[in-house]
Amino acid sequence: MSSINRVLLLGNLGRDAEYTTTGSGMTIAKFSVATSSRRKGAGGQYEENTQWHRIVLFGQQGDRLRDYLKKGKQVYIEGRIDYRNWEDKDGNKRTSTEIIADRIQLMGGGGGGRSRQDYDEESGP
């Protein structure tokens, strides 16, 4: 039986994307996206709950979005969850949960710019 590892997010960037380049020349863009939900609390008041998601974007897609991936911009992301384990310089075991993005749709919210354009690994802007 097959399985599915698929994530769909609609949220806003918490900061500008950070870019690095591998030894082979591949671009890696990393940024965080906030998603929020509201629910009624015990006192009858609505409470907002914000979750932060680490997003990693590989290759040309990140290069094409360099001018868009700025703090406050709204994006729709499709990807998969990836868990990483490593040991830091002090010998402590560390873990990280990231979303490896394979499709991003620019929603246009959060400060202007282009609106509702699709970018995925196979196509460009």
Side-chain angles (χ1 to χ4, degrees):
M1 177 181 228
S2 64
S3 59
I4 297 174
N5 178 354
R6 198 74 182 149
V7 175
L8 309 173
L9 297 172
L10 175 64
N12 293 78
L13 272 73
R15 62 179 183 207
D16 292 358
E18 296 175 3
Y19 291 87
T20 57
T21 304
T22 66
S24 65
M26 181 187 337
T27 299
I28 302 172
K30 293 184 178 182
F31 54 96
S32 58
V33 170
T35 58
S36 298
S37 60
R38 286 180 27 153
R39 68 171 198 210
K40 197 176 274 192
Q45 299 292 330
Y46 281 98
E47 300 171 353
E48 189 164 325
N49 181 23
T50 301
Q51 298 290 317
W52 288 94
H53 312 277
R54 295 176 197 216
I55 312 297
V56 180
L57 184 59
F58 291 97
Q60 293 178 351
Q61 186 176 346
D63 280 332
R64 290 189 302 258
L65 294 173
R66 192 175 290 264
D67 292 335
Y68 182 83
L69 296 176
K70 304 292 183 188
K71 181 178 180 176
K73 296 289 186 157
Q74 186 178 48
V75 292
Y76 168 81
I77 296 172
E78 291 184 23
R80 63 181 169 81
I81 298 175
D82 187 48
Y83 301 98
R84 292 189 304 120
N85 299 302
W86 74 95
E87 202 170 286
D88 69 14
K89 63 182 179 183
D90 299 324
N92 299 313
K93 292 186 178 184
R94 310 283 292 179
T95 61
S96 178
T97 304
E98 299 171 329
I99 307 302
I100 307 301
D102 55 32
R103 180 173 180 246
I104 294 183
Q105 184 171 344
L106 310 178
M107 301 306 289
R114 296 178 278 183
S115 63
R116 298 208 60 140
Q117 295 185 17
D118 281 329
Y119 294 86
D120 59 30
E121 291 184 85
E122 291 81 32
S123 67

